[in-house]
Amino acid sequence: MKYRFAAPGNDKITTGRKSVDKEILTRSPVSGGKPNRCVIFPANVSMIAEAMERRNKNWIVRTKIASDLIVQVGDSCFHLHKLAMASKSEYLNRIVFQRSCNGEKGNGPKIFINNFPGGIETFELVVKFCYGWKLDVTATNIAALYSAANFLEMSDDLDQGNLISKTEAFLSFVMFSSWKDTFLILKGCESIPSWAKKLQILQRCSEAIAWKACINVKAFAFDDDEALGLEALVNNAEDSKQEVRAEGWWFEDVSSLRIDQFIEVIDSIKRKGIRSELVGSCIAKWTSNWLSQITSGLNNMTPKHLTHQLCRVTTESLIRVLPEEENAVTCNFLLHLLKLGLMMKINAELLNKLERRIAFMLEQCCVPDLLVTSYGENDPVYDVRIVIRVVEHYVSFVLRNPAPRIFVVGRLVDGYLTLIARDKNLTAKSFQLLAEALPKSARHCDDNLYRAMDIYLKAHPSLTEEQRTSVCRTMEFHKLSQEARQHMMKNDRLPLKMRTQFVLLEQVNMSKFMTAAGSNYWRTKAQAIIRVSKGLEKGFLTSQKEIKMMKKEVEMMKKQLNQLQMCKIKLQQQVKTWI
C-alpha cells in the first residue's frame, strides 16, 4: 500500500521512498500488496546523535557531549543525555528534576523502568526519536510505540510535534484505511494488553473492524486478489448458504484473534446490529479453530501451550458472548461447548444456562445435531453422556410445563439410539440411561426403540442376560406394531424371560380377539344375510365378498394362534433346559 502522510509543522512523515514537507493526508486505493508504513522525523531536536552502539547489554549514544543519564529497561542499560530525553519526556523530566533538587550530580543513580511497553526494541525507537533519527513505523509496532509515548508522557505540551501526536495520527489513519493492518495492530497489542485497554487501542480497532464488517463488500477496497474473490462471491450468491458466506467474508480474519480481542470485536459487531446468525457463525468458526489447536491435549487434560485455567476462562467467555436470539447458533455447536464446559469445570450457573438453552432447542433438532465426538481412546465414537444430560434437563422442564411436542423428542432420541447402537464401545448402561431418560408417555409407538435395541444386541453379542434385560427394559409390548411383535417373538437376541412374557401376552390378546371375533362373526353373518337379501333386490352382490373375506381372516387368525401355541411350547422347553 502506498500512502503520503505528513504531520503539522516542519516534521516529515514519509511513506515508501517518498517524503513530503507540507501538511497533507492522501491515500491511493487501499488495494495493493504492501502493508502500511511510515517514517517519522521529530520536529525539534535538542541534541543530534552521531551514532548508537550496542555493547552486550549496554546501548551507548555517541555525541560530542558525554552521557549524563542512564536508563535501565529490563536487563539493558541505555547511556543517554538529559537534554535530549528530558526535553521530550515529561516522565523523565520529572525524575531528573527531582534528583537535581536532591543534589545529585553527574550520571547519578540509574533510572529503572519496569514493564516498559514494547520492551527494549520500543525504547530504542523512542531514543532514536529523541536524538533526531528517523523512525520506521508500521502497523506491527505502532501500538507499542504509541503506548511507550504515553508511558513517557511525550505530549505536545512539552514539545510541539512530539511522539504521542505523531503516533496517534498514524494509528488513526491506518485503523480506518486498511482492513488487514487493523489486525496487525491488534497482533501488536498482544504483548501490551493492559496498555491497549487503557489507551482504548483495542476498543478503537474493534469499532473499526465492526464498521467495515457492516458495509457492503463491493464498497470496501481490499488487496487486489482478495477484492476480486469477494466480489465474485457476492455476485454468485444464489442460495442462502452462499449468501451467508458472502456476508461473512470477515470470519476468517476475526477468527484469528486472541480470545480477549475476539470478545471485544464481537461485542462491537453486535452493537452495530449485524444479524445474530452471522455473529453466531463467527463464534462457531473461532471456536472450531481454537479447538483444533487444543484437542490433542484434552485427552490428558493438559492442553498444549494453554493452561487449564485459560481454557476454562475462554470457554466461559464464549458462552457469555453468545447471541441470545433463537437459532443464532446450532444445537450441535452448543453441545460441543457444553462438553468443553464440563471438562473445564466452568461456572455452574453458566453450565446450567447452556444446558437449558440446548434443552429448549431439542424439539427443532435432527439426529446429526446430537453427534458430539468423544476424545478418549476407549470412549464411544459419540459422547452419549452429554445427550443424556440435555434430555434429562428437557424432561425436568416438561414435567413442570407439559409440552405437546415431547413425542418429537421421543423420535429424536430413538433415532439417535439407532445411529449409535453399532458402536462397540457403547456400554449397556449408557444405552439404558438414554432410553429411560424420557418418560414412557414420550412415545406413541416403540417400534423405533425396538429397532435400536435389536441393532445394539446384534452388535454386542457378548452381553450377559442381565445386561440384555436392562437394555430392553424400557420397551412396552402393547406399544409395538403387529409386524414388530411378530419379529420380536422370533428374535433370539432378546432376553429369554422377556420373550416368554411377550409370547404369553400375545397369546392372551389373540384369545380375547378370537373370542370377540367369533361372537361378532355370527352377528356380522346375520347382518350380511339381511344385506344380501336387500342387495339381491337391488342387484348387488358385494355382501358375499365381505363374508368370504371375514372367513379368510378367521382362518388366518386360527393359523396364527396355532403358531403361537407352538412357539409357547418351544419356549417352555428352552426354559426347562436353561433351568
Side-chain angles (χ1 to χ4, degrees), residues 210 214 266-279 325:
C214 290
I266 288 297
D267 284 338
S268 298
I269 286 174
K270 289 165 71 174
R271 288 194 294 270
K272 292 292 182 182
I274 290 183
R275 289 191 297 116
S276 59
E277 292 86 351
L278 284 175
V279 177
E325 291 81 1

Side-chain angles (χ1 to χ4, degrees), residues 432-452:
Q432 176 193 352
L433 288 175
L434 183 54
E436 295 178 350
L438 286 171
K440 293 183 178 180
S441 59
R443 296 180 176 93
H444 282 305
C445 176
D446 279 358
D447 281 16
N448 292 332
L449 180 61
Y450 170 65
R451 185 180 297 109

